[in-house]
Amino acid sequence: MCPFAPRFASRMANVNPSVIREILKVVSQPDITSFAGGMPAQDLFPADELAAAAQAAFRTPEITLKALQYGPSEGYPPLRAAIAAQLAAEGIDLTGNQILLTTGSQQGIFMLAQAFINPGDEIVVGSPTFLGALQAFQGFEAHFVTVPLDAGGMKMDALARVLEHRQPKFIYTIPNFQNPTGLMLTEERKAEMYALASRHGVPIVEDDPYGDLYFGPQRPSAIKALDHEGGVVLLRTFSKVLAPGLRVAYAVVPDAIVEKLIPLKQCNDLHTAALTQVMIAEYLATGGLEAHLARLRTEYRKRRDLMLAAMDAHLPEWCSWTRPEGGLFIWVTLPSGLLAAPLLEECITKEKVAFIPGDAFFAHGGGENTLRLNFSNASEAAIEDGIRRLGRVMKAARPQLARS
Ligand code: PMP
Protein backbone atom coordinates (compact mmCIF):
# COMPACT_ATOMS: atom_id res chain seq x y z
CA MET A 1 0.00 0.00 0.00
CA CYS A 2 1.31 3.43 -0.93
CA PRO A 3 1.87 5.43 2.26
CA PHE A 4 0.49 8.48 0.50
CA ALA A 5 -2.75 6.93 -0.70
CA PRO A 6 -4.96 10.04 -0.83
CA ARG A 7 -7.51 10.39 1.94
CA PHE A 8 -9.99 12.60 0.13
CA ALA A 9 -12.89 14.39 1.79
CA SER A 10 -15.97 12.19 1.55
CA ARG A 11 -17.70 14.69 -0.77
CA MET A 12 -15.00 13.96 -3.39
CA ALA A 13 -16.84 10.72 -4.14
CA ASN A 14 -19.23 13.02 -6.00
CA VAL A 15 -16.50 14.67 -8.07
CA ASN A 16 -16.05 12.68 -11.24
CA PRO A 17 -14.81 13.38 -14.77
CA SER A 18 -17.37 15.00 -17.04
CA VAL A 19 -18.76 12.63 -19.65
CA ILE A 20 -18.64 15.48 -22.12
CA ARG A 21 -14.97 16.25 -21.54
CA GLU A 22 -14.19 12.54 -22.00
CA ILE A 23 -16.11 12.46 -25.29
CA LEU A 24 -14.46 15.69 -26.44
CA LYS A 25 -11.04 14.07 -26.01
CA VAL A 26 -12.05 11.27 -28.37
CA VAL A 27 -13.73 13.44 -30.97
CA SER A 28 -11.17 16.22 -31.17
CA GLN A 29 -9.16 14.42 -33.85
CA PRO A 30 -9.10 16.44 -37.07
CA ASP A 31 -10.82 13.78 -39.19
CA ILE A 32 -13.97 13.82 -37.04
CA THR A 33 -16.82 16.22 -37.71
CA SER A 34 -17.84 17.19 -34.22
CA PHE A 35 -21.18 18.64 -33.25
CA ALA A 36 -20.32 17.69 -29.68
CA GLY A 37 -18.70 20.61 -27.83
CA GLY A 38 -20.59 23.70 -26.71
CA MET A 39 -18.05 25.88 -28.39
CA PRO A 40 -18.42 29.27 -29.97
CA ALA A 41 -17.25 29.52 -33.59
CA GLN A 42 -13.49 29.69 -33.67
CA ASP A 43 -13.55 31.40 -37.07
CA LEU A 44 -15.56 34.28 -35.58
CA PHE A 45 -13.39 35.22 -32.62
CA PRO A 46 -12.63 38.97 -32.83
CA ALA A 47 -8.94 38.10 -32.62
CA ASP A 48 -7.55 41.31 -34.17
CA GLU A 49 -9.73 43.48 -31.97
CA LEU A 50 -8.72 41.52 -28.87
CA ALA A 51 -5.05 41.79 -29.87
CA ALA A 52 -5.55 45.56 -30.11
CA ALA A 53 -7.25 45.51 -26.70
CA ALA A 54 -4.26 43.63 -25.28
CA GLN A 55 -1.96 46.31 -26.71
CA ALA A 56 -4.19 48.97 -25.18
CA ALA A 57 -3.86 47.30 -21.80
CA PHE A 58 -0.16 48.27 -21.88
CA ARG A 59 -0.45 51.74 -23.38
CA THR A 60 0.34 53.74 -20.22
CA PRO A 61 2.18 52.83 -17.02
CA GLU A 62 -1.04 53.40 -15.11
CA ILE A 63 -3.16 50.96 -17.07
CA THR A 64 -0.30 48.47 -17.27
CA LEU A 65 -0.26 48.44 -13.49
CA LYS A 66 -4.01 47.70 -13.41
CA ALA A 67 -3.50 44.84 -15.86
CA LEU A 68 -0.56 43.26 -14.06
CA GLN A 69 -0.98 44.03 -10.35
CA TYR A 70 -3.40 42.36 -7.91
CA GLY A 71 -6.78 44.03 -8.25
CA PRO A 72 -10.08 44.32 -6.42
CA SER A 73 -11.95 41.05 -5.76
CA GLU A 74 -15.17 42.52 -7.16
CA GLY A 75 -13.49 43.12 -10.50
CA TYR A 76 -11.86 45.87 -12.56
CA PRO A 77 -13.89 49.03 -11.93
CA PRO A 78 -14.17 50.29 -15.55
CA LEU A 79 -15.43 46.84 -16.62
CA ARG A 80 -17.94 46.77 -13.79
CA ALA A 81 -19.13 50.22 -14.87
CA ALA A 82 -19.55 49.11 -18.49
CA ILE A 83 -21.52 46.05 -17.34
CA ALA A 84 -23.70 48.20 -15.07
CA ALA A 85 -24.55 50.47 -18.02
CA GLN A 86 -25.56 47.47 -20.13
CA LEU A 87 -27.73 46.07 -17.32
CA ALA A 88 -29.40 49.43 -16.74
CA ALA A 89 -30.33 49.53 -20.42
CA GLU A 90 -32.14 46.21 -19.88
CA GLY A 91 -34.07 47.59 -16.93
CA ILE A 92 -32.01 45.76 -14.32
CA ASP A 93 -31.84 47.83 -11.13
CA LEU A 94 -28.50 47.93 -9.40
CA THR A 95 -27.52 49.43 -6.13
CA GLY A 96 -24.04 49.57 -4.62
CA ASN A 97 -21.79 46.65 -5.10
CA GLN A 98 -23.85 44.04 -6.87
CA ILE A 99 -21.63 43.14 -9.84
CA LEU A 100 -19.01 40.51 -9.09
CA LEU A 101 -16.59 39.48 -11.83
CA THR A 102 -15.95 35.73 -11.89
CA THR A 103 -13.52 33.40 -13.61
CA GLY A 104 -16.11 32.11 -16.05
CA SER A 105 -19.74 31.58 -15.10
CA GLN A 106 -18.68 28.11 -14.04
CA GLN A 107 -17.00 29.79 -11.07
CA GLY A 108 -20.18 31.74 -10.33
CA ILE A 109 -22.11 28.46 -10.26
CA PHE A 110 -19.44 26.83 -8.11
CA MET A 111 -19.35 29.71 -5.62
CA LEU A 112 -23.12 29.65 -5.25
CA ALA A 113 -22.84 25.94 -4.54
CA GLN A 114 -20.09 26.62 -1.97
CA ALA A 115 -22.13 29.38 -0.38
CA PHE A 116 -25.51 27.67 -0.19
CA ILE A 117 -25.38 23.88 -0.32
CA ASN A 118 -25.11 21.76 2.78
CA PRO A 119 -25.04 17.98 2.23
CA GLY A 120 -28.57 16.87 1.40
CA ASP A 121 -29.92 20.33 0.56
CA GLU A 122 -32.37 20.35 -2.28
CA ILE A 123 -31.78 22.35 -5.47
CA VAL A 124 -34.38 22.68 -8.22
CA VAL A 125 -33.01 22.03 -11.71
CA GLY A 126 -34.57 21.55 -15.12
CA SER A 127 -34.69 18.09 -16.57
CA PRO A 128 -32.49 18.23 -18.61
CA THR A 129 -30.03 20.97 -17.61
CA PHE A 130 -26.39 22.07 -17.93
CA LEU A 131 -24.05 19.28 -16.88
CA GLY A 132 -21.44 21.67 -15.43
CA ALA A 133 -24.00 22.97 -12.96
CA LEU A 134 -25.09 19.46 -11.97
CA GLN A 135 -21.45 18.57 -11.33
CA ALA A 136 -20.81 21.67 -9.23
CA PHE A 137 -23.93 21.12 -7.12
CA GLN A 138 -23.23 17.41 -6.78
CA GLY A 139 -19.75 18.20 -5.51
CA PHE A 140 -21.41 19.76 -2.45
CA GLU A 141 -23.74 16.79 -2.04
CA ALA A 142 -26.91 18.50 -3.22
CA HIS A 143 -30.07 16.54 -3.81
CA PHE A 144 -31.77 17.44 -7.05
CA VAL A 145 -35.45 18.09 -7.42
CA THR A 146 -36.07 18.01 -11.15
CA VAL A 147 -38.72 19.91 -13.07
CA PRO A 148 -39.49 18.77 -16.61
CA LEU A 149 -39.29 21.04 -19.65
CA ASP A 150 -41.73 21.31 -22.52
CA ALA A 151 -41.59 23.53 -25.60
CA GLY A 152 -42.00 26.60 -23.34
CA GLY A 153 -39.13 25.68 -21.02
CA MET A 154 -39.42 24.61 -17.38
CA LYS A 155 -43.03 23.65 -16.57
CA MET A 156 -44.45 26.07 -14.06
CA ASP A 157 -47.26 23.80 -12.80
CA ALA A 158 -44.59 21.24 -11.86
CA LEU A 159 -42.43 23.93 -10.24
CA ALA A 160 -45.43 25.20 -8.28
CA ARG A 161 -46.04 21.68 -6.94
CA VAL A 162 -42.40 21.33 -5.89
CA LEU A 163 -42.41 24.65 -4.06
CA GLU A 164 -45.66 23.78 -2.26
CA HIS A 165 -44.02 20.82 -0.58
CA ARG A 166 -40.29 21.50 -0.38
CA GLN A 167 -37.82 24.13 0.72
CA PRO A 168 -35.06 24.04 -1.92
CA LYS A 169 -32.07 26.35 -1.46
CA PHE A 170 -32.55 27.81 -4.94
CA ILE A 171 -33.96 27.24 -8.40
CA TYR A 172 -31.27 26.92 -11.07
CA THR A 173 -32.52 27.87 -14.53
CA ILE A 174 -31.12 28.70 -17.97
CA PRO A 175 -34.05 30.65 -19.35
CA ASN A 176 -32.66 31.60 -22.77
CA PHE A 177 -31.72 29.06 -25.47
CA GLN A 178 -31.00 26.53 -22.82
CA ASN A 179 -28.05 24.18 -22.76
CA PRO A 180 -28.69 21.42 -23.80
CA THR A 181 -32.12 21.84 -25.48
CA GLY A 182 -31.99 25.29 -27.09
CA LEU A 183 -35.41 25.96 -25.52
CA MET A 184 -36.67 29.29 -24.17
CA LEU A 185 -38.56 29.87 -20.97
CA THR A 186 -41.51 31.89 -22.32
CA GLU A 187 -41.94 35.47 -21.16
CA GLU A 188 -45.12 34.48 -19.26
CA ARG A 189 -43.27 31.69 -17.51
CA LYS A 190 -40.42 34.01 -16.53
CA ALA A 191 -42.94 36.18 -14.72
CA GLU A 192 -44.61 33.12 -13.25
CA MET A 193 -41.31 31.69 -12.05
CA TYR A 194 -40.42 34.96 -10.36
CA ALA A 195 -43.83 35.16 -8.70
CA LEU A 196 -43.57 31.57 -7.44
CA ALA A 197 -40.03 32.12 -6.18
CA SER A 198 -41.05 35.30 -4.41
CA ARG A 199 -44.14 33.70 -2.84
CA HIS A 200 -42.08 30.83 -1.42
CA GLY A 201 -38.91 32.81 -0.66
CA VAL A 202 -36.72 30.57 -2.82
CA PRO A 203 -34.07 32.49 -4.79
CA ILE A 204 -33.52 31.98 -8.51
CA VAL A 205 -30.10 31.45 -10.08
CA GLU A 206 -30.58 32.73 -13.63
CA ASP A 207 -27.74 31.41 -15.78
CA ASP A 208 -27.76 33.34 -19.05
CA PRO A 209 -24.74 32.69 -21.26
CA TYR A 210 -26.78 32.60 -24.48
CA GLY A 211 -29.30 35.47 -24.27
CA ASP A 212 -27.20 37.73 -26.52
CA LEU A 213 -27.20 35.09 -29.25
CA TYR A 214 -30.83 35.57 -30.27
CA PHE A 215 -32.06 35.20 -33.85
CA GLY A 216 -35.30 37.13 -33.40
CA PRO A 217 -35.74 40.90 -33.27
CA GLN A 218 -34.56 41.49 -29.71
CA ARG A 219 -32.78 40.12 -26.69
CA PRO A 220 -35.07 38.01 -24.52
CA SER A 221 -35.80 39.64 -21.19
CA ALA A 222 -34.01 38.79 -17.95
CA ILE A 223 -35.91 37.40 -14.96
CA LYS A 224 -33.54 39.64 -13.00
CA ALA A 225 -35.31 42.67 -14.50
CA LEU A 226 -38.43 41.66 -12.52
CA ASP A 227 -36.51 41.44 -9.26
CA HIS A 228 -36.85 44.33 -6.82
CA GLU A 229 -36.66 42.11 -3.75
CA GLY A 230 -33.15 40.66 -3.95
CA GLY A 231 -34.36 37.25 -5.12
CA VAL A 232 -32.38 36.61 -8.32
CA VAL A 233 -28.69 36.00 -8.95
CA LEU A 234 -27.98 36.59 -12.65
CA LEU A 235 -24.93 34.94 -14.23
CA ARG A 236 -23.57 36.15 -17.55
CA THR A 237 -20.32 35.44 -19.34
CA PHE A 238 -18.08 36.79 -22.08
CA SER A 239 -17.31 33.18 -23.09
CA LYS A 240 -19.91 32.83 -25.83
CA VAL A 241 -19.96 36.44 -27.03
CA LEU A 242 -16.20 37.07 -27.08
CA ALA A 243 -14.01 34.07 -26.25
CA PRO A 244 -14.08 31.43 -23.49
CA GLY A 245 -10.30 31.49 -23.13
CA LEU A 246 -10.54 34.94 -21.56
CA ARG A 247 -12.31 33.32 -18.56
CA VAL A 248 -14.27 36.45 -17.67
CA ALA A 249 -17.90 36.38 -16.55
CA TYR A 250 -19.97 38.15 -13.96
CA ALA A 251 -22.64 37.58 -11.37
CA VAL A 252 -25.26 40.18 -10.49
CA VAL A 253 -25.84 39.44 -6.85
CA PRO A 254 -28.35 40.84 -4.33
CA ASP A 255 -26.73 42.86 -1.51
CA ALA A 256 -27.46 40.30 1.19
CA ILE A 257 -25.59 37.63 -0.79
CA VAL A 258 -22.73 39.67 -2.24
CA GLU A 259 -21.40 40.44 1.25
CA LYS A 260 -20.55 36.76 1.56
CA LEU A 261 -19.58 36.11 -2.05
CA ILE A 262 -16.78 38.68 -2.07
CA PRO A 263 -14.81 37.03 0.76
CA LEU A 264 -15.66 33.65 -0.81
CA LYS A 265 -14.20 34.87 -4.10
CA GLN A 266 -11.06 35.83 -2.21
CA CYS A 267 -10.80 32.29 -0.87
CA ASN A 268 -11.18 30.88 -4.36
CA ASP A 269 -8.78 32.97 -6.43
CA LEU A 270 -8.49 36.50 -4.95
CA HIS A 271 -9.86 37.97 -8.15
CA THR A 272 -10.49 37.17 -11.79
CA ALA A 273 -7.45 37.66 -14.06
CA ALA A 274 -6.83 41.40 -14.32
CA LEU A 275 -5.28 41.37 -17.80
CA THR A 276 -8.29 39.83 -19.52
CA GLN A 277 -10.66 42.11 -17.59
CA VAL A 278 -8.69 45.17 -18.73
CA MET A 279 -8.68 43.82 -22.29
CA ILE A 280 -12.44 43.41 -22.27
CA ALA A 281 -12.96 46.89 -20.81
CA GLU A 282 -10.73 48.33 -23.55
CA TYR A 283 -12.58 46.33 -26.19
CA LEU A 284 -15.99 47.49 -24.92
CA ALA A 285 -14.75 51.10 -24.90
CA THR A 286 -14.13 50.89 -28.65
CA GLY A 287 -17.87 50.28 -29.12
CA GLY A 288 -17.10 47.20 -31.22
CA LEU A 289 -19.21 44.67 -29.32
CA GLU A 290 -22.56 45.48 -30.95
CA ALA A 291 -21.23 44.93 -34.47
CA HIS A 292 -19.51 41.73 -33.36
CA LEU A 293 -22.72 40.43 -31.76
CA ALA A 294 -24.69 41.29 -34.88
CA ARG A 295 -22.21 39.26 -36.93
CA LEU A 296 -22.39 36.32 -34.52
CA ARG A 297 -26.20 36.33 -34.64
CA THR A 298 -26.22 36.41 -38.43
CA GLU A 299 -23.67 33.65 -38.76
CA TYR A 300 -25.16 31.43 -36.07
CA ARG A 301 -28.61 31.85 -37.55
CA LYS A 302 -27.20 30.78 -40.91
CA ARG A 303 -25.60 27.70 -39.34
CA ARG A 304 -28.78 26.86 -37.42
CA ASP A 305 -30.79 27.15 -40.64
CA LEU A 306 -28.34 24.95 -42.49
CA MET A 307 -28.35 22.31 -39.78
CA LEU A 308 -32.15 22.26 -39.55
CA ALA A 309 -32.45 22.04 -43.35
CA ALA A 310 -29.92 19.17 -43.41
CA MET A 311 -31.81 17.44 -40.59
CA ASP A 312 -35.12 17.83 -42.43
CA ALA A 313 -33.47 16.31 -45.50
CA HIS A 314 -31.39 13.52 -43.99
CA LEU A 315 -32.64 12.40 -40.58
CA PRO A 316 -35.27 9.68 -40.38
CA GLU A 317 -38.85 10.82 -39.84
CA TRP A 318 -39.05 8.88 -36.57
CA CYS A 319 -36.92 11.34 -34.66
CA SER A 320 -37.82 14.88 -33.64
CA TRP A 321 -35.84 17.97 -32.67
CA THR A 322 -36.06 21.51 -31.34
CA ARG A 323 -35.87 24.55 -33.64
CA PRO A 324 -34.02 27.01 -31.40
CA GLU A 325 -34.39 30.76 -31.80
CA GLY A 326 -30.86 31.43 -30.58
CA GLY A 327 -27.88 29.95 -28.76
CA LEU A 328 -25.73 27.04 -29.88
CA PHE A 329 -27.74 23.82 -29.64
CA ILE A 330 -30.39 21.60 -31.22
CA TRP A 331 -31.84 18.78 -29.12
CA VAL A 332 -32.86 15.54 -30.79
CA THR A 333 -35.27 12.94 -29.41
CA LEU A 334 -35.09 9.40 -30.78
CA PRO A 335 -37.85 6.84 -30.36
CA SER A 336 -37.81 5.50 -26.82
CA GLY A 337 -35.64 2.40 -26.66
CA LEU A 338 -33.22 3.72 -29.25
CA LEU A 339 -30.10 4.66 -27.32
CA ALA A 340 -27.88 7.61 -28.17
CA ALA A 341 -24.68 6.27 -26.54
CA PRO A 342 -24.20 3.24 -28.82
CA LEU A 343 -25.36 5.41 -31.72
CA LEU A 344 -22.45 7.76 -30.96
CA GLU A 345 -20.01 4.86 -31.10
CA GLU A 346 -21.37 3.83 -34.47
CA CYS A 347 -21.20 7.41 -35.68
CA ILE A 348 -17.59 7.83 -34.63
CA THR A 349 -16.31 4.52 -35.96
CA LYS A 350 -18.36 4.28 -39.18
CA GLU A 351 -18.95 7.90 -40.22
CA LYS A 352 -16.57 10.03 -38.15
CA VAL A 353 -19.25 12.33 -36.85
CA ALA A 354 -19.94 13.11 -33.18
CA PHE A 355 -22.58 14.54 -30.84
CA ILE A 356 -23.26 14.42 -27.09
CA PRO A 357 -25.67 11.75 -25.83
CA GLY A 358 -28.36 13.54 -23.84
CA ASP A 359 -28.50 11.37 -20.71
CA ALA A 360 -25.57 13.30 -19.17
CA PHE A 361 -27.87 16.30 -18.74
CA PHE A 362 -30.44 14.52 -16.58
CA ALA A 363 -29.91 14.67 -12.83
CA HIS A 364 -31.83 11.48 -12.13
CA GLY A 365 -31.14 9.43 -15.25
CA GLY A 366 -33.37 9.11 -18.29
CA GLY A 367 -32.90 10.80 -21.64
CA GLU A 368 -30.95 7.84 -23.05
CA ASN A 369 -32.85 8.38 -26.30
CA THR A 370 -31.83 12.04 -26.63
CA LEU A 371 -28.79 13.82 -28.01
CA ARG A 372 -27.38 17.34 -28.33
CA LEU A 373 -26.03 18.84 -31.53
CA ASN A 374 -23.94 22.02 -31.61
CA PHE A 375 -24.34 24.11 -34.76
CA SER A 376 -22.05 27.08 -34.01
CA ASN A 377 -18.60 25.61 -34.42
CA ALA A 378 -18.78 23.80 -37.76
CA SER A 379 -18.34 25.05 -41.31
CA GLU A 380 -21.30 25.11 -43.67
CA ALA A 381 -19.89 22.17 -45.63
CA ALA A 382 -19.26 20.17 -42.45
CA ILE A 383 -22.83 20.77 -41.25
CA GLU A 384 -24.43 19.46 -44.43
CA ASP A 385 -22.06 16.54 -44.80
CA GLY A 386 -21.96 15.64 -41.09
CA ILE A 387 -25.74 15.58 -40.75
CA ARG A 388 -26.03 13.42 -43.87
CA ARG A 389 -23.63 10.92 -42.27
CA LEU A 390 -25.48 11.06 -38.95
CA GLY A 391 -28.71 10.29 -40.81
CA ARG A 392 -27.07 7.32 -42.51
CA VAL A 393 -26.05 5.80 -39.17
CA MET A 394 -29.45 6.49 -37.64
CA LYS A 395 -31.33 4.83 -40.48
CA ALA A 396 -29.07 1.79 -40.41
CA ALA A 397 -29.01 1.59 -36.62
CA ARG A 398 -32.59 1.56 -35.58
CA PRO A 399 -33.24 -2.20 -35.58
CA GLN A 400 -29.86 -3.17 -34.07
CA LEU A 401 -29.76 -0.50 -31.41
CA ALA A 402 -33.30 -0.72 -30.16
CA ARG A 403 -33.55 -2.37 -26.73
CA SER A 404 -35.14 -5.75 -27.00
N1 PMP B 1 -23.63 27.91 -17.90
C1 PMP B 1 -24.03 27.31 -19.02
C2 PMP B 1 -25.49 27.04 -19.23
C3 PMP B 1 -23.11 26.92 -19.99
O1 PMP B 1 -23.54 26.30 -21.09
C4 PMP B 1 -21.73 27.19 -19.77
C5 PMP B 1 -20.65 26.79 -20.73
N2 PMP B 1 -20.90 25.80 -21.61
C6 PMP B 1 -21.37 27.82 -18.58
C7 PMP B 1 -22.34 28.19 -17.68
C8 PMP B 1 -19.92 28.11 -18.22
O2 PMP B 1 -19.37 29.08 -19.04
P1 PMP B 1 -18.04 29.85 -18.69
O3 PMP B 1 -17.48 29.28 -17.43
O4 PMP B 1 -17.15 29.66 -19.86
O5 PMP B 1 -18.45 31.28 -18.50
Side-chain angles (χ1 to χ4, degrees):
M1 246 272 278
C2 170
F4 297 115
R7 293 181 297 140
F8 288 118
S10 54
R11 65 177 174 277
M12 290 301 285
N14 294 327
V15 178
N16 293 306
S18 143
V19 182
I20 295 189
R21 296 216 153 250
E22 294 304 299
I23 292 173
L24 291 183
K25 272 190 231 158
V26 179
V27 304
S28 61
Q29 296 125 18
D31 61 334
I32 292 191
T33 301
S34 176
F35 304 129
M39 307 213 211
Q42 62 206 42
D43 54 318
L44 299 177
F45 287 139
D48 292 343
E49 291 83 348
L50 288 173
Q55 286 281 329
F58 293 98
R59 72 178 183 281
T60 64
E62 201 188 359
I63 192 165
T64 302
L65 188 67
K66 304 278 186 217
L68 297 185
Q69 191 53 279
Y70 284 118
S73 300
E74 296 87 331
Y76 177 53
L79 181 55
R80 294 176 80 225
I83 291 166
Q86 170 60 40
L87 293 169
E90 287 180 53
I92 297 174
D93 268 358
L94 290 179
T95 53
N97 222 10
Q98 298 182 337
I99 296 171
L100 173 62
L101 271 291
T102 60
T103 303
S105 274
Q106 186 66 42
Q107 185 183 50
I109 294 169
F110 186 79
M111 284 184 8
L112 290 166
Q114 276 182 320
F116 283 98
I117 301 175
N118 288 320
D121 277 352
E122 292 187 325
I123 304 296
V124 174
V125 296
S127 184
T129 193
F130 172 48
L131 175 64
L134 291 178
Q135 286 185 304
F137 302 153
Q138 235 154 23
F140 290 91
E141 304 177 73
H143 285 184
F144 294 115
V145 182
T146 56
V147 174
L149 273 60
D150 65 13
M154 208 187 259
K155 291 176 72 167
M156 288 302 109
D157 50 349
L159 178 64
R161 277 195 300 277
V162 165
L163 296 184
E164 283 299 316
H165 301 293
R166 297 171 185 268
Q167 281 276 298
K169 276 289 174 69
F170 55 78
I171 301 160
Y172 171 77
T173 183
I174 309 153
N176 302 321
F177 321 121
Q178 195 230 25
N179 182 4
T181 61
L183 291 169
M184 285 291 295
L185 189 65
T186 63
E187 294 296 304
E188 302 75 54
R189 287 191 191 180
K190 285 177 181 172
E192 228 179 308
M193 181 184 281
Y194 184 78
L196 279 171
S198 172
R199 186 174 326 138
H200 294 280
V202 177
I204 297 171
V205 175
E206 178 180 20
D207 187 10
D208 184 29
Y210 304 109
D212 281 315
L213 303 175
Y214 56 87
F215 305 152
Q218 64 198 23
R219 195 190 204 293
S221 72
I223 303 172
K224 182 69 187 166
L226 304 171
D227 178 25
H228 305 289
E229 304 167 304
V232 179
V233 178
L234 170 64
L235 304 176
R236 292 217 179 132
T237 178
F238 290 99
S239 285
K240 314 294 173 171
V241 295
L242 282 181
L246 297 166
R247 305 310 300 135
V248 178
Y250 57 95
V252 186
V253 191
D255 292 324
I257 301 177
V258 85
E259 282 170 21
K260 287 286 186 190
L261 285 204
I262 292 170
L264 188 64
K265 171 75 178 164
Q266 289 160 2
C267 297
N268 277 285
D269 60 358
L270 299 181
H271 64 77
T272 293
L275 173 58
T276 48
Q277 290 189 73
V278 174
M279 281 172 61
I280 292 176
E282 291 296 316
Y283 173 80
L284 295 179
T286 66
L289 181 64
E290 257 324 299
H292 174 62
L293 284 176
R295 178 155 181 250
L296 282 185
R297 288 174 200 130
T298 305
E299 283 297 320
Y300 286 1
R301 185 169 47 221
K302 214 186 291 171
R303 291 175 200 195
R304 185 254 347 230
D305 287 345
L306 269 173
M307 189 170 272
L308 287 175
M311 292 170 80
D312 290 336
H314 303 301
L315 296 199
E317 70 293 346
W318 41 254
C319 55
S320 59
W321 50 86
T322 56
R323 305 184 88 87
E325 286 302 314
L328 309 184
F329 304 112
I330 296 172
W331 181 248
V332 180
T333 305
L334 308 169
S336 60
L338 183 51
L339 308 179
L343 190 73
L344 174 64
E345 273 191 51
E346 295 271 301
C347 278
I348 293 173
T349 51
K350 295 208 171 113
E351 295 283 359
K352 300 212 170 295
V353 60
F355 54 80
I356 297 286
D359 55 350
F361 302 99
F362 289 80
H364 292 317
E368 290 85 356
N369 63 323
T370 59
L371 59 97
R372 189 191 75 179
L373 295 173
N374 166 259
F375 55 79
S376 57
N377 193 29
S379 69
E380 298 182 9
I383 289 175
E384 162 66 22
D385 189 49
I387 294 295
R388 184 180 317 111
R389 285 184 275 142
L390 171 63
R392 225 162 26 221
V393 178
M394 280 182 170
K395 285 172 190 160
R398 190 177 186 196
Q400 294 95 303
L401 295 174
R403 252 200 294 245
S404 57

